[in-house]
Amino acid sequence: MKLGKQRAVLIATAVVLVAGAVTTATAGASTTAAAGEPGTPVTLSTGWTIPWGTSWLPDGSGALVTERDDFGVWRISEDGKDKKRVGTVPESQTTGGEGGLMGLAVDPDWATNHYVYVMHTSSEGNRIARMTYDGTTVSDYKVLLKGIKKNKYHNGGRLAFGPDGYLYATTGDAQDKPLAQDKNSLNGKILRLAKDGKPAPGNPFGNYAYSLGHRNPQGITFDDQGRLWEAELGDAKKDELNLIKAGKNYGWPTCEGTCDVAGMTNPKRTWGVAEASPSGVAVVDGALYMAALKGKRLWRIPINADNENVGTPKAYYVGEYGRLRSVTTVPGAKELWLSTTNADNNGGQPDGSDTIFRVPIG
């Protein structure tokens, strides 16, 4: 064989080998999550009907879960094998839309005070209440804050304790847009409360409001730096991911998504409403995870510990599991719990058709 032909054969062989290696690597990547990305969800628990709020017990033995329309509180063990109804929230009612028993937060000092906090719809409006969970049942219902205007839609409803020890709550505009810009209204806000139900000391307007200009926020979470992130359902244009700071105005109804109006704080990321309609958010391993209702997917958004920039969002499980409502970090593990609400009005599935999944983070 002449040298030219021999050289051509070697080059051709190398190209084939490289192509094969690339094909194999690509195929492997399609079935295995990359480092830091979510893997295949594993069914943890079934038979749920609109599970809305999830909050872990501080000892990590399990979590409490609310069901929106029957006002029930459940305890589920860490492995999902033990599921028990531990009571209901008194004076609750639905709105025929998105109201009912919504958010839940276990007190960080639960081991000593046994307090849990709930947000729910009642006769006069939405309320934040405190109950006692003694490890067996919930009882001793006490209203902390009432009169948050309700409506069929836009009730907000998420609760979370911050690293400062105060309780944060999201409220919607109750389909009354000007309330979001009214500093004296409880609606269209992130609220910040002390455990006794009084406004937390140092709130920027001297009342319950921590931030304003929100349409229907349904997700809040804190990252490892103690920063507060919020996911918000937009109207017809843009859903938002916001970095919440005390006293800031996030625009609604003047702005939906990014705008150039003085005094308004722009979101860190936006989506078209068909891609998201976000509800719960959680942080694991340097990324924020956002559950999408209409979008029927889980978004992963990298966040930066050194600045306030976020990376490019990536969607997972598009259309595979239906409407995704809550996403919750598993304490001490690189895992999430992810729940569906396919039994709600928009999902149209029968009662008992919802699922809670465990999602490993690779």
Side-chain angles (χ1 to χ4, degrees):
M1 182 182 293
K2 292 183 177 180
L3 183 60
K5 288 185 178 180
Q6 188 177 30
R7 191 176 190 182
V9 170
L10 290 171
I11 292 173
T13 301
V15 169
V16 170
L17 290 172
V18 170
V22 170
T23 302
T24 301
T26 303
S30 67
T31 57
T32 304
E37 296 192 6
T40 301
V42 177
T43 298
L44 181 78
S45 181
T46 60
W48 296 88
T49 302
I50 319 178
W52 209 101
T54 302
S55 184
W56 279 83
L57 296 168
D59 63 6
S61 63
L64 298 182
V65 179
T66 61
E67 286 190 310
R68 189 188 71 187
D69 287 2
D70 73 352
F71 323 126
V73 180
W74 296 75
R75 184 191 184 279
I76 178 173
S77 60
E78 184 276 335
D79 61 7
K81 294 179 180 179
D82 183 18
K83 173 186 174 184
K84 180 183 178 182
R85 188 181 176 100
V86 297
T88 59
V89 176
E91 303 181 33
S92 296
Q93 60 181 238
T94 68
T95 63
E98 295 173 347
L101 177 55
M102 297 172 288
L104 174 82
V106 176
D107 195 301
D109 298 320
W110 175 81
T112 55
N113 62 28
H114 289 168
Y115 289 153
V116 297
Y117 303 78
V118 293
M119 188 166 179
H120 70 96
T121 307
S122 63
S123 58
E124 90 291 337
N126 291 313
R127 296 179 181 177
I128 299 171
R130 189 178 73 200
M131 299 185 73
T132 298
Y133 173 59
D134 61 5
T136 303
T137 59
V138 290
S139 60
D140 301 328
Y141 174 83
K142 179 181 180 180
V143 177
L144 297 183
L145 179 62
K146 64 191 301 184
I148 304 166
K149 187 176 180 179
K150 66 178 181 178
N151 212 317
K152 184 175 183 179
Y153 303 109
H154 303 189
N155 293 289
R158 195 71 61 179
L159 297 177
F161 271 96
D164 57 7
Y166 295 114
L167 182 65
Y168 291 73
T170 72
T171 67
D173 68 3
Q175 298 178 275
D176 188 350
K177 296 177 183 179
L179 295 181
Q181 289 295 318
D182 182 353
K183 295 178 182 178
N184 295 313
S185 169
L186 294 170
N187 288 87
K189 308 292 187 296
I190 307 296
L191 308 179
R192 182 171 172 261
L193 296 75
K195 293 181 182 182
D196 61 3
K198 295 178 182 178
N203 280 356
F205 309 115
N207 55 18
Y208 286 99
Y210 188 74
S211 64
L212 73 157
H214 301 290
R215 179 178 180 270
N216 191 20
Q218 286 195 4
I220 49 174
T221 192
F222 293 86
D223 66 18
D224 292 341
Q225 286 73 48
R227 299 176 298 187
L228 175 58
W229 298 89
E230 174 253 21
E232 184 165 335
L233 292 108
D235 185 10
K237 297 177 182 177
K238 294 294 183 181
D239 296 323
E240 300 177 357
L241 173 67
N242 291 298
L243 178 57
I244 302 298
K245 296 183 178 182
K248 296 295 185 180
N249 187 333
Y250 290 83
W252 178 256
T254 305
C255 304
E256 182 182 357
T258 301
C259 70
D260 296 323
V261 178
M264 305 298 177
T265 300
N266 281 326
K268 292 299 179 180
R269 187 65 64 172
T270 63
W271 292 262
V273 295
E275 299 177 294
S277 296
S279 188
V281 289
V283 172
V284 176
D285 197 26
L288 186 140
Y289 292 84
M290 185 177 82
L293 296 165
K294 184 182 292 186
K296 299 179 180 179
R297 66 197 72 183
L298 180 69
W299 285 100
R300 180 183 185 272
I301 309 104
I303 55 178
N304 196 311
D306 299 321
N307 58 50
E308 297 179 356
N309 299 330
V310 302
T312 302
K314 183 176 179 180
Y316 297 82
Y317 324 133
V318 179
E320 292 186 39
Y321 305 107
R323 294 167 59 78
L324 303 180
R325 172 75 64 177
S326 290
V327 56
T328 310
T329 305
V330 176
K334 290 186 179 181
E335 290 184 345
L336 298 166
W337 280 11
L338 178 65
S339 66
T340 71
T341 50
N342 293 315
D344 65 13
N345 296 342
N346 292 311
Q349 297 299 309
D351 288 354
S353 62
D354 285 314
T355 302
I356 299 176
F357 296 98
R358 177 188 285 116
V359 179
I361 307 300

